Structures are given as structure tokens and as C-alpha cells.
Amino acid sequence: MDSGFSSPRRDAFPAGLRVLVVDDDPTWIRILEKMLKKCSYEVTTCGLAREALNLLRERKDGYDIVISDVNMPDMDGFKLLEHVGLEMDLPVIMMSVDGETSRVMKGVQHGACDYLLKPIRMKELRNIWQHVFRKRIHEAREFEGHEGFEGIHLMRNGSDQSEDGMLFSLEDMPSMKKRKDLDNNHDDKEFGDPSSTKKARVVWSVDLHQKFVKAVNQIGFDKVGPKRILDLMNVPWLTRENVASHLQKYRLYLSRLLKENDQRSSSSGTKPSDLPPRDTAGDFGFQNLTNKQQNDVAVDSFNYSDVPLQSHSSETKIRNGDLKAIVSDSIAEKRRALSGSIPGTKVSPQISLNHSSFGPLKPEGRHAVFDCTIPSTQFTWSETPEMPLKKEHKSFLQLEDSSFSHSPLHVTQRKIQGLKSHSVASVCSNPTITESEVAASVETKPMYADYKREYASSVSSIGSVVDTIPTQSKSLMENAQLSEPSSAKNLAMKTQGFNYDLEFYPENLLDEDLHFYWLQGEYYNMNWGFENIGMPEYYDPGLVAELSSHLHDSADCTLVDQGLFIA
Amino acid sequence: MASRRQIAAMKQSLFDQDYLDEQFIQLEELQDDANPNFVEEIVTLYYRDSSRLVSNIEQALERNPLEFNRLDSLMHQFKGSSSSIGAKKVKAECTLFREYCRAGNAEGCKRSFQQLKREYATLRKKLEAYFQQARQAGPFEAARRSK
């Protein structure tokens, strides 16, 4: 392969079209490769969706079109489709042996520019270049269209911002087609030779998208226009066209998300099995992520509390009330966070959701995973093996409550083991504390490591918990006397360090210590799902769809959706 | 050694008896100097890869109760794969199997799968015989498209 990933041969379009074929069936890969080569295309093949995304990201301008099978083992083909469309803005053709109308429709909805049925004929492949060509023309036109409304008052700003020197004004509109004369590489050869257009493919990195969404939120979602976004983003090399097409996708994405959430929230309380099928859940892969984070955060917030347990003797009266207060307060914070703040700052709300999951709020048996382990350990330690699980939960939480009351919850990077020993030490000094309670807390803490993993498969518990949160929070809000904010800050600070450690992600999936921190950062830094691709396989995809509906209920959708954007 | 005519007749009967469909011809058209044995390579690849699917389905059919969704999904893959070489009867059986899955008909699935395996094996034998003859006839013969 020559420098074939730079730019295709200009003169011979569509020959040299750079095609990426994604299919897990080795037989088909071989056939498609041969067919495409016969069309004089440049073919790259891969057998995994993730591999494909890596390839696409590595060579940002290295492909013209992607052809992918709908049923990939590691990722739903529709999800891949979305990723590619949003990140790389490449035309994607879907393939399947299944030609059911609903599937085809889904493909189109997710942005496929074509849907081919297997067995695929060579003549169908011969013409795929049209999708590349069409897209380029369309984008150029779209660009013009946007200029139509905003050209007037934005022209001044435009010239300041655009590095490419796009000076737009209404007078210039007719001269759009003369842009070839301008020194612009991205629209210059649009109409002439699309294959040769060195249209800088904007890869919407996490950072970039974060800026984008920030700008959108600042402007107000219903008032956005590409020019204003571009101004706010202050990314010199980004063009209005890039922003425009990205905005278009973002809008589509959000509207679809909102629609799905509306449907889901209207059927709240559904069990995970009732939740939408995998592929829409793909949208909520991020939700899965956030839920897990939430779980992990709470878990770890408990674990890492370095507050001694001594004072609990006087705190026996602290029970559900305060616990709920914690929960509600945190939830309120979460809502505030979701409704307005810039991502990356508010983390405490997530802690709260987990408090609730531990606490008396847990309504159903979905916490089975969580429940089971606690009793087993308690029984080994506790002097009252018959103590009901709930009480143990409460007692554990009670301990934490008091820790909240007395000092800020430090979220340190203390290992679970460290905390355990700490707890043990404090156990000795507090004989008045019911030993079972302490035992519960001590024993349960190490279990959280397992819980984290188990939460991956029992995120439904969060869903069910969240159900109850909204109803209880109001009445309990007054009781909040806790120092949540400091914990939030600590946690937020911790996450900063991991925000950009994106490459880490799949490997660290089960790394307890870093895991939730990293995830936290991910969530609030608009993880695009690049690295979340692995997430769905760790989560039961349907589980968090329910949660997502609640998040949407209570929060301003735009902010939440930022995190969900590419998930 | 079979004559060209005989080899052509062999192939034609495969089409006539619906063992193969148009896709097979597509594969032949892809055969060229760069890949003179392309069709055979593809068929070999298919049988190698799909045998894995077949055993997965087999195992899944031994469960009790049957997981129809999983079976359907496996069969979907198998069907897709079988479409690659134009295995017509095999594909038809796949479709039938999936219908049984959707109907939750365990007996139907098992029966259908038995039939499918038969078709799968028969096709393999026939193709092997065909390729063998075609190869013996010489690479030139093998690469020629028969009309």
C-alpha cells in the first residue's frame, strides 16, 4: 500500500476510492475485498467494529467510505454507523443478509447512506462512489444554506474567525460557486473532483466536541447556529461548515434520544427485560457507563472515607432519615448539575444515587447482587446472623452518615484494604457500636470491589433506585446537613487527572481504583464513546435505558445528552 | 479425467438442483489471473468458518430449554455466511430454521437443523468433486467460466 491513505488519485475518480470494509464473516470479507479491488478501489478490511474505528481514527483522512455488516460481534453495526458518521463524517453502507424493512429503515435512521443485502453483487459495489460524491456536494450545499440565514450579521465575525478566509456576506452568496478561487482547500474542489478534495476531515475529538457542546449550551440549544457555535468554540482551524454538519448530526441525535426517552419515561418502572433492544441501548452505552460510575463512586466514596467510626455510638439515632437526606441532597445537587453547570465540575450527584442504592430506598429485588454478598459476610462476623439485610445496610450507611456529619467525606485514593484496616482499628475503640454494624461495614467494604463488577451486570438496581429517588427527595431535602460538596470537589479533582486518559479505558475497565474516577471524568468530559465502545459488552445494554429516562426527566436534556452523544 | 463438457455439466446440475445460486457465478467472475482458484478458496474458507457456527448451533440445540433468540442469531450468521457461496438449499433451510425459532418450535428447529446439516454436507461433497475435476482439467480449465 502506497501513501494511499493520504489522498486518492485525483484524476481517476472513482478509481482509488478508499474503502474500509467491516465484517466478521471471513468469507464475505474475502469476497468483498476481491470485488472492490476489481472496481479499482483501495480496500482495507477488518473483522471487528472496534478495529474499524481505530483504523478510522488513526488515519483521519484515510478513507472515503465505510461498508459494514450490521451484525458485528463486538458492537452493534448501527452504533458503529453512528460513530463513523459523527466522528468522521464518512458515508457508511450497511450490509446484511436480513432485508427486513424494519432493519433497513433502522439503517437509514442511523445514517446509513445505503443498505445492501447479502449476497452482494459486484455491480452494487461498483457504484458506491456515488455516496462519496453525493456527500461532498451535499455538504457544500449545506454550507451555503447555513450562510443563507446567518450570512448577514455574521459576516464580520466570520471573517475574523475563519482561518480559511471565508468572507461571507449576502453579496457573496452568488459567488459561493466561485469559491474555487478562494484559497480554501475544503470546498475548492468540491464540485470538480470530490475524490481529490483534501477536505480536512474533522475528527471530533472529545475535547472538540466538548467545546462544541459547551458552545451550544451557552447559546441555547434552540438558538444555535453554526456561526455562533464556531465563534464560541474558538478553534481557529475549524470551519463553519464543519460545525454546521456536526450540528446537524447533533440535532438528529438529540431528537432521536429525546424521543426514545419520552417513550421510555412513559413506561417507567419497566424491568430491564422490557427495555428496548440492544441497538438503541447502544445509545445509552454511556448511560451504562455513568451508572456504573455512579455505583462505583458511591461504593468508593464509602470505602475511601477515612473518617473514623468512633463517634457512632452517639449516632445510633441517625437512621434512614439522614441517609435519605444525603440521598436527596445529592440528588438535588445532581439535578442542579445536570441542569446548568459546565460538565466536569459536579460529581457529587452521582454519589448520591449510589447512596440510595445502598440505603432503604432500594425497592425491589434487583439489588440481589448487592444484597447477597453483604449478608454472607455479615454472618461470618456478626454476632447476630439473623440480622436482616436491610438493617445491615442501614447500619453501614449510618456509619457513613455520621462520617458525613462530622467531617467532610474525603474521597481519597485509599485502597479498600487500607480502609478496612482503618475500620478495624476503629472497631476496637468503639465497643459500644453494635459489632454487627461495624462488621457489616468492614466486611462490606471489600465486597465493593466485587460489587463494582457485579454492578456491571446489575445496573438495573440503579434504574429501580432512581425510580424512587425523585419521589422521596423533596420531602427530605430539608434534612440535609451534609458536607457533600467537599466530597464532590475531591472527586471532581480526582477525575481531572483522568479525563484525558482515554486510551486507558478498556484495559482499566476492571481496575477498581482508577475505574470510577476515570469514568467520572469521562462522563463529564463528554466521552464520546470512542473508548466506551467496550462498555456495552460489559453492561447489559437494556439496563440503563430506564435510568436514562429518569435522568432526562429530571435534567436538562442537553447537558445530559452531551455525555450521551456518541455513546 | 472429465472433459470440459462433463465438468460444465456437473456444475450445471448443481444449479439445476438448486444447490447453488447466482452468487456462485459471481464468485467465478471474480476469478482471474491474480486469483485463479478464487472460487475454491472461498468455498474452503466458507466450510472452515461455518463449521464453527454449525457446532455452536448444535450445542445450543442440546440445551433445555432452547434459547430461541440465540439460535436465531446464530442461524442468522450462518445464513449470511452461506449466502457468500450461493449455497441455495442451505440458505433455504436456514430461513426455515429461523421461522421455527421465532415460533418457538423446538422440534421444528431440531428437524430443520438435521436437514440443514444434510444439505450442507451434500453440497460440500459435490463441490469438492467439482473442484477436483476442474483442477485436474488444468488451471486454464478451472479458470474458465463455463456458460
Side-chain angles (χ1 to χ4, degrees):
Chain A
M1 196 84 67
D2 53 34
S3 63
F5 292 106
S6 48
S7 65
R9 306 199 310 262
R10 300 179 168 207
D11 47 339
F13 184 82
L17 194 72
R18 298 159 305 167
V19 185
L20 177 65
V21 183
V22 189
D23 198 328
D24 64 325
D25 185 327
T27 315
W28 269 112
I29 281 271
R30 188 80 187 84
I31 296 173
L32 291 167
E33 185 184 35
K34 185 72 184 163
M35 283 183 175
L36 291 163
K37 281 190 172 153
K38 281 235 165 192
C39 298
S40 305
Y41 295 154
E42 255 179 45
V43 189
T44 311
T45 64
C46 54
L48 286 175
R50 219 171 309 160
E51 192 190 324
L53 278 172
N54 287 341
L55 283 174
L56 288 164
R57 285 168 189 157
E58 276 166 34
R59 296 182 166 103
K60 282 153 198 178
D61 211 2
Y63 303 94
D64 296 307
I65 187 166
V66 178
I67 303 181
S68 173
D69 189 279
V70 165
N71 296 87
M72 295 298 293
D74 61 331
M75 186 194 300
D76 186 12
F78 296 113
K79 192 161 175 247
L80 171 65
L81 171 53
E82 271 185 18
H83 276 286
V84 175
L86 286 156
E87 290 176 37
M88 290 110 204
D89 194 25
L90 290 176
V92 182
I93 294 176
M94 302 303 289
M95 304 182 285
S96 179
V97 69
D98 181 357
E100 269 173 36
T101 306
S102 58
R103 298 289 279 178
V104 177
M105 194 173 299
K106 191 165 185 188
V108 174
Q109 277 171 344
H110 281 73
C113 57
D114 207 348
Y115 194 109
L116 302 178
L117 293 189
K118 287 178 173 176
I120 296 177
R121 303 275 177 271
M122 187 141 128
K123 62 182 182 232
E124 296 175 88
L125 293 179
R126 269 201 201 283
N127 283 338
I128 61 172
W129 60 265
Q130 63 178 284
H131 303 294
V132 178
F133 188 66
R134 188 183 299 119
K135 202 174 184 77
R136 307 235 170 146
I137 295 181
H138 181 68
E139 274 168 357
R141 283 206 202 110
E142 176 187 286
F143 188 33
E144 282 180 41
H146 278 280
E147 286 315 303
F149 326 144
E150 298 165 326
I152 309 174
H153 66 283
L154 294 175
M155 63 176 127
R156 307 268 171 258
N157 298 332
S159 55
D160 297 334
Q161 289 285 341
S162 295
E163 208 168 62
D164 54 23
M166 288 285 204
L167 303 173
F168 291 110
S169 63
L170 275 192
E171 306 90 77
D172 285 345
M173 289 300 289
S175 65
M176 283 295 188
K177 304 244 178 343
K178 296 179 197 156
R179 276 178 295 171
K180 281 179 193 169
D181 302 328
L182 297 178
D183 200 7
N184 302 313
N185 66 357
H186 74 266
D187 62 347
D188 190 348
K189 300 144 192 127
E190 286 300 335
F191 301 93
D193 185 2
S195 67
S196 66
T197 300
K198 254 294 221 204
K199 178 174 159 173
R201 288 238 173 269
V202 175
V203 174
W204 284 84
S205 66
V206 174
D207 208 33
L208 196 59
H209 180 65
Q210 185 180 2
K211 286 198 173 104
F212 171 83
V213 181
K214 222 191 261 192
V216 168
N217 288 333
Q218 273 179 256
I219 297 168
F221 186 62
D222 39 349
K223 291 178 272 176
V224 289
K227 190 59 197 97
R228 294 175 74 174
I229 299 172
L230 188 60
D231 291 346
L232 276 174
M233 283 177 72
N234 195 27
V235 176
W237 52 267
L238 199 65
T239 69
R240 193 206 256 91
E241 182 193 40
N242 301 138
V243 175
S245 77
H246 194 73
L247 177 63
Q248 193 180 47
K249 295 191 176 88
Y250 188 60
R251 279 193 176 119
L252 286 172
Y253 182 86
L254 284 186
S255 65
R256 185 170 56 245
L257 219 56
L258 289 172
K259 218 188 314 171
E260 284 165 356
N261 283 324
D262 284 341
Q263 291 165 5
R264 224 162 282 126
S265 55
S266 63
S267 60
S268 62
T270 54
K271 301 223 175 291
S273 54
D274 296 339
L275 292 171
R278 250 195 102 226
D279 32 48
T280 48
D283 289 340
F284 300 100
F286 220 160
Q287 288 289 11
N288 294 333
L289 178 62
T290 57
N291 288 326
K292 188 164 200 313
Q293 300 171 31
Q294 291 164 2
N295 286 319
D296 291 345
V297 168
V299 164
D300 285 280
S301 66
F302 285 130
N303 292 336
Y304 295 145
S305 164
D306 55 0
V307 173
L309 307 173
Q310 284 101 353
S311 50
H312 300 316
S313 53
S314 61
E315 301 302 329
T316 48
K317 62 184 182 298
I318 301 174
R319 289 286 176 180
N320 299 347
D322 284 350
L323 177 60
K324 288 178 185 175
I326 301 172
V327 175
S328 59
D329 183 55
S330 306
I331 293 160
E333 282 192 72
K334 175 179 174 63
R335 292 205 179 133
R336 287 194 294 276
L338 289 176
S339 49
S341 63
I342 300 291
T345 55
K346 292 282 184 189
V347 173
S348 60
Q350 297 196 335
I351 301 176
S352 67
L353 286 177
N354 291 290
H355 287 196
S356 64
S357 69
F358 298 143
L361 294 179
K362 63 177 161 65
E364 289 141 33
R366 286 200 213 134
H367 295 264
V369 168
F370 187 90
D371 296 347
C372 295
T373 46
I374 291 183
S376 63
T377 56
Q378 290 169 354
F379 294 159
T380 56
W381 282 66
S382 168
E383 291 180 343
T384 59
E386 286 77 42
M387 191 173 304
L389 176 62
K390 270 215 159 186
K391 181 153 184 263
E392 291 305 330
H393 277 284
K394 290 176 198 168
S395 57
F396 174 65
L397 291 162
Q398 164 198 326
L399 296 170
E400 295 304 319
D401 288 352
S402 51
S403 76
F404 289 141
S405 321
H406 290 272
S407 63
L409 175 65
H410 300 313
V411 182
T412 65
Q413 290 195 18
R414 199 165 300 196
K415 298 275 180 187
I416 293 172
Q417 295 76 20
L419 178 62
K420 184 180 178 180
S421 58
H422 186 87
S423 306
V424 170
S426 51
V427 168
C428 304
S429 59
N430 296 287
T432 56
I433 302 172
T434 60
E435 287 175 20
S436 59
E437 288 173 345
V438 175
S441 62
V442 171
E443 275 307 296
T444 52
K445 286 189 178 97
M447 299 308 293
Y448 285 127
D450 301 324
Y451 289 152
K452 280 183 204 173
R453 290 196 179 87
E454 288 164 342
Y455 268 113
S457 56
S458 63
V459 180
S460 59
S461 63
I462 296 301
S464 59
V465 165
V466 176
D467 283 337
T468 62
I469 288 175
T471 54
Q472 301 196 26
S473 58
K474 287 203 191 86
S475 58
L476 299 169
M477 256 188 247
E478 317 76 71
N479 299 333
Q481 303 245 351
L482 308 158
S483 47
E484 283 287 7
S486 58
S487 67
K489 282 194 210 102
N490 285 331
L491 196 55
M493 280 178 344
K494 296 286 181 293
T495 60
Q496 294 308 315
F498 294 91
N499 288 347
Y500 301 100
D501 212 359
L502 301 175
E503 299 312 311
F504 235 168
Y505 182 71
E507 287 72 33
N508 282 353
L509 194 58
L510 298 176
D511 177 358
E512 292 135 33
D513 293 326
L514 297 178
H515 185 37
F516 76 90
Y517 285 136
W518 187 85
L519 293 176
Q520 286 281 318
E522 285 283 352
Y523 177 75
Y524 285 110
N525 284 279
M526 246 70 57
N527 177 26
W528 273 64
F530 296 13
E531 290 72 22
N532 274 350
I533 293 166
M535 292 314 290
E537 71 193 47
Y538 294 101
Y539 301 124
D540 182 353
L543 289 175
V544 271
E546 190 182 20
L547 172 62
S548 69
S549 71
H550 293 285
L551 288 178
H552 281 92
D553 285 345
S554 58
D556 177 19
C557 292
T558 53
L559 194 66
V560 173
D561 284 333
Q562 291 162 24
L564 300 176
F565 187 29
I566 300 283
Chain B
M1 182 174 88
S3 71
R4 265 196 289 150
R5 279 241 316 251
Q6 284 169 318
I7 294 167
M10 263 177 102
K11 191 163 61 157
Q12 190 54 43
S13 85
L14 287 174
F15 284 106
D16 292 341
Q17 294 173 58
D18 283 345
Y19 284 105
L20 295 174
D21 64 29
E22 223 254 336
Q23 177 64 13
F24 195 81
I25 299 175
Q26 286 276 307
L27 295 182
E28 289 185 314
E29 286 176 356
L30 289 174
Q31 203 155 269
D32 55 16
D33 294 337
N35 299 101
N37 297 311
F38 186 70
V39 188
E40 191 175 354
E41 282 167 23
I42 291 293
V43 171
T44 308
L45 191 50
Y46 162 71
Y47 272 101
R48 196 189 326 144
D49 185 59
S50 59
S51 63
R52 173 182 54 90
L53 280 171
V54 170
S55 61
N56 284 348
I57 296 171
E58 200 131 45
Q59 282 169 18
L61 281 173
E62 280 161 20
R63 293 206 186 176
N64 196 8
L66 292 186
E67 291 173 320
F68 288 109
N69 281 343
R70 181 154 181 270
L71 282 169
D72 187 63
S73 170
L74 286 170
M75 190 50 77
H76 177 97
Q77 288 179 56
F78 184 72
K79 186 181 176 189
S81 206
S82 303
S83 70
S84 71
I85 66 163
K88 195 168 178 181
K89 280 192 185 180
V90 172
K91 269 205 310 183
E93 209 56 52
C94 292
T95 305
L96 191 58
F97 182 94
R98 292 185 77 194
E99 281 168 25
Y100 283 127
C101 277
R102 282 166 203 173
N105 185 340
E107 270 317 300
C109 281
K110 290 177 183 173
R111 249 194 341 251
S112 171
F113 187 63
Q114 293 309 313
Q115 179 62 17
L116 190 150
K117 279 197 291 181
R118 278 193 287 269
E119 298 291 351
Y120 180 72
T122 304
L123 177 62
R124 182 185 213 151
K125 283 198 206 78
K126 289 189 180 282
L127 284 173
E128 276 171 0
Y130 168 72
F131 286 127
Q132 197 180 33
Q133 295 297 329
R135 251 183 285 126
Q136 280 176 5
F140 179 70
E141 300 299 335
R144 274 166 67 98
R145 253 178 287 159
S146 60
K147 297 286 184 265

